[in-house]
């Protein structure tokens, strides 16, 4: 554990400027701030864009699953999907498998908007990852996947590491 002292918030060696989670939050904030500027010029926002990117790969998608995959709270997703429906970007219907659930599909207009927005936000990714090799980016993604999995499935605090 000594090698991680500078990252341990209880350590005197800890500094916010080197905290991995602070740095992730800062990068995420800056990326999405810049994304908002691009998307708002086209009548969209990052939540709508994220929902459309989920729907690009998962259709139909139950509202609860959509919220989980889009990393947005369920009530917020419901409001956004309702607004997107009013704009003709998505269609909703009662799930055939579960009458209590709502399925969401991206409409042709939604797909067209996503196809318009994606090349506009792509340069933000290129700029954000400038200076990183393909291997570095792969390792970064793998590291984030491990951290995400660790946080999604925390082990019992009394069980030994490993």
């Amino acid at each position: 554990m000594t090698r991680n002292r500078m990252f341990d918030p209880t350590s005197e060696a800890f500094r916010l400027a080197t905290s991995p989670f602070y740095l992730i939050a800062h990068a995420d904030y800056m990326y999405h701030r810049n994304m908002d500027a691009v998307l708002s010029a086209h009548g969209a926002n990052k939540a709508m864009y994220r929902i459309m990117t989920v729907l690009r790969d998962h259709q139909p998608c139950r509202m609860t699953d959509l919220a989980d995959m889009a990393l947005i709270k369920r009530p917020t997703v419901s409001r956004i999907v309702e607004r997107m429906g009013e704009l003709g970007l998505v269609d909703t219907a009662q799930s055939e498998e579960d009458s209590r659930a709502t399925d969401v599909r991206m409409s042709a207009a939604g797909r067209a908007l996503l196809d318009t927005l994606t090349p506009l936000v792509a340069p933000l990714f290129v700029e954000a990852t400038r200076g990183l090799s393909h291997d570095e980016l792969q390792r970064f993604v793998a590291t984030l996947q491990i951290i995400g999995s660790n946080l999604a499935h925390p082990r019992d605090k009394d069980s030994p590491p490993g």
Side-chain angles (χ1 to χ4, degrees):
M1 184 71 158
T2 349
R3 65 185 181 91
N4 290 330
R5 294 226 10 101
M6 70 181 281
F7 304 114
D8 177 355
T10 64
S11 168
E12 288 184 28
F14 175 83
R15 296 295 176 266
L16 189 60
T18 56
S19 165
F21 294 102
Y22 171 77
L23 294 171
I24 289 169
H26 181 262
D28 182 66
Y29 171 80
M30 298 299 291
Y31 181 77
H32 286 104
R33 182 191 70 179
N34 294 343
M35 184 182 272
D36 272 340
V38 170
L39 296 174
S40 66
H42 295 274
N45 60 46
K46 64 186 176 203
M48 291 169 64
Y49 183 77
R50 191 176 303 158
I51 287 169
M52 288 187 289
T53 59
V54 169
L55 292 174
R56 176 178 51 205
D57 298 331
H58 304 280
Q59 289 194 82
C61 191
R62 286 199 181 148
M63 194 79 77
T64 53
D65 297 332
L66 182 57
D68 289 344
M69 287 186 272
L71 307 174
I72 303 170
K73 292 180 180 174
R74 169 72 166 83
T76 304
V77 165
S78 293
R79 287 191 301 276
I80 295 167
V81 165
E82 183 177 333
R83 176 73 179 127
M84 291 174 74
E86 292 167 359
L87 295 170
L89 303 174
V90 297
D91 299 307
T92 59
Q94 184 178 36
S95 171
E96 292 179 14
E97 296 174 11
D98 180 352
S99 61
R100 299 167 297 167
T102 300
D103 284 341
V104 183
R105 289 183 184 273
M106 189 165 24
S107 68
R111 183 57 199 221
L113 180 59
L114 181 62
D115 289 346
T116 297
L117 295 175
T118 300
L120 299 175
V121 298
L124 297 174
F125 172 79
V126 172
E127 179 62 22
T129 58
R130 184 172 28 103
L132 293 175
S133 70
H134 178 76
D135 288 345
E136 289 170 324
L137 194 52
Q138 277 188 309
R139 281 193 303 275
F140 179 61
V141 168
T143 299
L144 291 174
Q145 289 170 332
I146 291 167
I147 291 170
S149 179
N150 289 346
L151 294 171
H153 309 287
R155 59 182 178 83
D156 185 320
K157 66 180 178 184
D158 296 328
S159 61

